Amino acid sequence: MLDRRYETFLMLAKTTSYTKTAQKLFITQPAVTQQIASLQKELQLELVKYERPHLVITPAGKQLAKFIESVTIKSQQILAHLQQPQAKRPLKFGATLSFNTIVEPQFIKK
């Protein structure tokens, strides 16, 4: 649901490499560079910078990457719900060993 540039930026934040990002997204490295430059210009934010010899994601870039990731997950969830509104979904939860042996049996009986 997001603009392709956001997806590209998220991959760049994960790989911290224009070349690896291009390879993973099956696009050219110049296309990655252009998309990131366009996104930074539109947002008027520095998302990445070079600290030779490494690419560094700025604090604003890290916040944006987390946001993009959460929006991507939420959009996938809402689409799944809209496509199958009556579908039953399994209930999953995790617990510590002490909870499993002491509380869980009583919890499940109810």
Side-chain angles (χ1 to χ4, degrees):
M1 288 189 160
L2 289 174
D3 184 319
R4 171 62 87 190
R5 297 173 302 165
Y6 289 93
E7 295 170 12
T8 302
F9 175 70
L10 181 59
M11 184 60 68
L12 181 63
K14 290 178 181 179
T15 65
T16 63
S17 165
Y18 283 95
T19 303
K20 289 178 185 174
T21 297
Q23 290 170 347
K24 289 186 179 282
L25 297 177
F26 303 102
I27 59 177
T28 65
Q29 184 270 324
V32 172
T33 303
Q34 187 178 38
Q35 287 181 28
I36 300 305
S38 170
L39 185 61
Q40 290 184 118
K41 183 177 179 181
E42 180 181 308
L43 299 176
Q44 298 179 351
L45 289 171
E46 182 181 41
L47 302 173
V48 297
K49 63 181 176 180
Y50 273 102
E51 290 181 5
R52 297 284 179 212
H54 302 289
L55 176 75
V56 176
I57 307 300
T58 65
K62 288 178 183 177
Q63 286 182 327
L64 182 61
K66 283 183 183 181
F67 177 75
I68 295 167
E69 200 160 37
S70 70
V71 167
T72 301
I73 291 168
K74 290 290 186 190
S75 65
Q76 290 169 350
Q77 289 173 343
I78 191 67
L79 285 176
H81 175 72
L82 292 172
Q83 291 168 347
Q84 297 179 349
Q86 302 302 324
K88 292 185 180 182
R89 292 173 179 76
L91 175 63
K92 297 179 184 180
F93 65 96
T96 63
L97 182 59
S98 61
F99 181 85
N100 284 343
T101 57
I102 299 169
V103 179
E104 185 180 11
Q106 296 169 9
F107 180 72
I108 292 176
K109 285 181 186 178
K110 294 179 181 181

